[in-house]
Amino acid sequence: MYRLLIADDEALEREGLEWMISRSMPGVFEVIHAANGRTAIQRAEQHRPDIVLMDIKMPGIEGLEALRRIKDIHPRMKLVLVTAYDYFSYAKQALEIGVRDYMLKPAKREQMIGLLTSLVQELKEEHVRREEELKTTEKLARLEPLAESELAMHLMRERTSETGESDLLELLALPADPSGYALVLSFEEEEPHRVSGGPGLWGDSGENGDTASRKHMYDAVKSWCRSRYTCVVSPLMGRHLAVFVIRPGETEESGGAGRSSHSEPKSASAEEGARACGEAAAATAACGAAGSAAKAGSGRDGGTGARSSQYEADAANAALAAEPAAAASKLHGYVSGRLGRRATVGAGRAHHGLTGLRRSYAEACAAAINADESAFVRVYDGESAGGGPPVPAGNAAAGHGAPGELELAAQRLLSEREERTTSVLKEAKDWIDAHFVEEITLEQAAERVHLSLHYFSKMFKRHMGETFIDYVTRLRIERAKELMKNDELSLKEVCFEVGYKDPNYFSRVFRKVTGISPTGYRGR
């Protein structure tokens, strides 16, 4: 049922319209009356009508002004002007407000009913469209974490898949040609220390305590990063995760000073660049050169506009160079201070494009590998471990540059991801094997191992070679075959023992799997 507001200062006119509409369209409308503009606005706020029939000339607030205010309350309301005044100026104002139609008094039944029927059809179509939009939005919300993980893996290692990088970037509403830098967060193996006054990061011990604590830690880090940067966060693989901070402007590598719309870190001055360097004590060497250049530039004579612009560009470039150091320092401070977890953070330099982000990730891996107890935060400084030669351009982490620690770091991350997936699926399989005769679902299995339904279903089929339903069905039929060897059990009892409630359905499933009926199988 739809709500219809009839606003007219003449009670006889309101009642006549309601009688006409109720007779011609029974059960379609709940009718609400208003005797003036002020009351019409109040009733619109209270009842949120779908359609408003408004007279122009009423005491107090006139019809057009009342419609303006009602339109502000609920933009989707269908507004119809009903008046005895056929003035062009009224019609013009009504169109500006967004009035759906303009009807002269006395309204003819056919005209009024035809208009209301048309408006009801519009309301139905809009409802269907909104439902579809909500479904699409919900699907995108479910896809976004998967797309983010997939894009992160693309950036961490050269790979091909059915979904291209451009599609992933579009789905995540990221620039088609992004710039930015990478951070690699590596957690210590030992148990975390407890934050004073709070529980340990891992929480209370018990079944699945480690899995729950890993999820808590990952969610906390991801939420912290996304609240400060436009970024892509990889899955937590073993003790490692990568954060790709995306910047909208050019990087120093592409020749621009760089512009950022993100809340942190803001890069606008030489002073901020120097402060960013100071926040990352472990990255002093990496930031020092950029900060010194900016400081020197700010001390020169700024008498000409050209020099002033150059100094500003130098300062902006210095601040940009310091961004990865500041971000790494803040991330480490959050993980160690707020989460109570010992960790190291490696930061790569800012680069342009997807190739640049891959290179930054390789640099961040090298920096994380070389971090130690004296410097839990390290920014890549152009050299590999042990003061060796600079890492060549390209994606060393993917095997397109020099082999060695960068390659091993990337390989280790991917290997740990695969090991983690295998371990999780083994846990799920063990649980299914122990409960397959019960009414278990794919959702329960996915929740058991703290994975999304879609990702768990995909991984289960990839590793097991069959779907969850097929696997459970196979277990039940194999169990049924074993029970059929016991002649004391009827086929109906066997059906119930393996988790089926309907013997007819059990018989159909058994025949589909084995090619023979339960009776035929037992009689062989």
Side-chain angles (χ1 to χ4, degrees):
M1 183 174 286
Y2 297 93
R3 292 191 180 95
L4 173 66
L5 172 61
I6 301 176
D8 197 303
D9 60 333
E10 296 182 11
L12 187 61
E13 187 71 26
R14 297 196 306 272
E15 292 169 2
L17 281 174
E18 181 179 1
W19 180 84
M20 177 199 303
I21 294 167
S22 298
R23 292 260 308 191
S24 302
M25 304 176 72
V28 176
F29 293 108
E30 173 191 345
V31 180
I32 305 155
H33 289 245
N36 54 59
R38 179 179 59 81
T39 304
I41 295 170
Q42 292 174 342
R43 297 283 163 81
E45 290 178 340
Q46 180 181 359
H47 298 283
R48 298 289 175 126
D50 301 289
I51 302 173
V52 178
L53 301 179
M54 178 74 71
D55 187 22
I56 287 183
K57 290 293 183 180
M58 288 188 295
I61 301 175
E62 291 193 342
L64 286 172
E65 179 59 28
L67 286 178
R68 284 193 185 92
R69 299 190 186 184
I70 289 173
K71 189 70 172 179
D72 291 338
I73 296 169
H74 196 336
R76 289 198 179 100
M77 286 181 187
K78 306 296 182 183
L79 309 179
V80 178
L81 209 54
V82 182
T83 179
Y85 301 90
D86 188 10
Y87 294 153
F88 175 74
S89 61
Y90 287 153
K92 184 180 178 182
Q93 293 180 64
L95 288 173
E96 292 174 352
I97 294 170
V99 170
R100 174 64 174 74
D101 217 321
Y102 184 92
M103 189 167 292
L104 291 175
K105 290 182 179 180
K108 296 181 180 180
R109 188 184 68 83
E110 294 80 6
Q111 186 181 9
M112 176 62 72
I113 299 307
L115 174 60
L116 290 177
T117 300
S118 175
L119 293 178
V120 167
Q121 183 60 33
E122 286 184 15
L123 289 168
K124 290 179 179 178
E125 292 173 357
E126 289 174 1
H127 176 74
V128 171
R129 283 198 300 272
R130 285 197 297 273
E131 286 293 316
E132 291 300 320
E133 289 171 0
L134 287 174
K135 288 179 182 178
T136 300
T137 301
E138 184 179 15
K139 288 179 181 177
L140 288 175
R142 292 176 178 177
L143 284 173
E144 185 175 335
L146 298 174
E148 183 176 11
S149 296
E150 186 71 12
L151 179 58
M153 295 308 297
H154 273 262
L155 295 173
M156 293 166 74
R157 181 175 175 83
E158 292 280 6
R159 57 180 297 186
T160 58
S161 71
E162 296 177 359
T163 305
E165 291 163 347
S166 59
D167 295 328
L168 294 170
L169 289 168
E170 182 179 0
L171 182 61
L172 296 170
L174 294 174
D177 189 25
S179 299
Y181 54 90
L183 306 175
V184 170
L185 179 63
S186 179
F187 297 98
E188 297 289 337
E189 290 186 2
E190 67 268 15
E191 286 294 305
H193 61 273
R194 291 181 177 271
V195 179
S196 178
L201 174 63
W202 300 117
D204 295 329
S205 59
E207 186 179 4
N208 291 330
D210 183 69
T211 301
S213 65
R214 285 169 56 84
K215 184 178 187 303
H216 164 74
M217 177 177 62
Y218 175 74
D219 290 344
V221 171
K222 185 173 182 178
S223 177
W224 184 89
C225 291
R226 297 190 70 170
S227 70
R228 286 160 175 78
Y229 313 103
T230 297
C231 61
V232 174
V233 182
S234 79
L236 179 59
M237 296 169 289
R239 296 180 292 109
H240 309 271
L241 65 82
V243 180
F244 295 90
V245 179
I246 308 299
R247 307 185 77 260
E250 295 178 301
T251 67
E252 58 179 350
E253 185 182 62
S254 61
R259 298 179 299 277
S260 176
S261 62
H262 311 309
S263 57
E264 288 188 351
K266 299 283 188 181
S267 304
S269 67
E271 289 78 10
E272 289 184 0
R275 184 165 59 253
C277 288
E279 288 179 345
T284 302
C287 297
S292 299
K295 186 176 180 181
S298 63
R300 297 171 188 162
D301 176 39
T304 66
R307 287 183 177 179
S308 178
S309 298
Q310 183 60 47
Y311 301 156
E312 291 175 1
D314 289 343
N317 281 331
L320 173 61
E323 265 195 35
S329 179
K330 291 175 183 177
L331 177 58
H332 179 265
Y334 173 74
V335 171
S336 62
R338 294 291 297 277
L339 298 183
R341 179 68 166 157
R342 288 173 58 87
T344 58
V345 182
R349 296 173 298 184
H351 296 291
H352 179 75
L354 293 173
T355 301
L357 286 172
R358 290 189 176 95
R359 179 179 179 183
S360 184
Y361 169 68
E363 295 172 351
C365 284
I369 291 170
N370 294 319
D372 53 38
E373 293 186 358
S374 63
F376 290 107
V377 178
R378 186 179 179 92
V379 179
Y380 182 76
D381 57 5
E383 295 186 350
S384 60
V391 175
N395 187 10
H400 297 300
E405 290 181 329
L406 295 183
E407 170 71 13
L408 292 174
Q411 290 286 1
R412 187 175 67 231
L413 288 174
L414 293 169
S415 176
E416 288 178 352
R417 180 196 188 200
E418 186 66 21
E419 289 174 4
R420 172 62 181 162
T421 300
T422 302
S423 174
V424 165
L425 288 175
K426 182 181 182 303
E427 179 184 346
K429 178 181 178 298
D430 291 343
W431 180 78
I432 295 168
D433 290 349
H435 298 85
F436 69 88
V437 298
E438 303 170 13
E439 292 185 8
I440 60 174
T441 65
L442 178 65
E443 290 83 353
Q444 289 174 322
E447 184 178 353
R448 180 80 181 180
V449 292
H450 307 286
L451 292 178
S452 71
L453 180 63
H454 178 81
Y455 184 75
F456 175 76
S457 177
K458 178 181 176 182
M459 291 299 101
F460 188 92
K461 185 174 182 180
R462 178 185 297 176
H463 285 258
M464 302 298 296
E466 57 188 333
T467 66
F468 171 83
I469 294 296
D470 289 342
Y471 182 74
V472 172
T473 299
R474 182 168 58 79
L475 290 179
R476 288 179 170 182
I477 298 304
E478 290 300 322
R479 177 60 176 160
K481 290 179 180 179
E482 290 294 323
L483 293 176
M484 286 181 190
K485 296 176 182 178
N486 183 354
D487 293 333
E488 295 181 359
L489 290 176
S490 68
L491 291 178
K492 188 174 183 180
E493 289 174 319
V494 171
C495 164
F496 294 148
E497 283 291 328
V498 297
Y500 293 105
K501 294 183 178 180
D502 182 356
N504 291 327
Y505 179 70
F506 165 68
S507 180
R508 291 197 299 272
V509 173
F510 191 94
R511 180 185 290 273
K512 182 179 180 181
V513 173
T514 65
I516 188 173
S517 68
T519 303
Y521 182 85
R522 171 169 270 182
R524 288 193 309 180

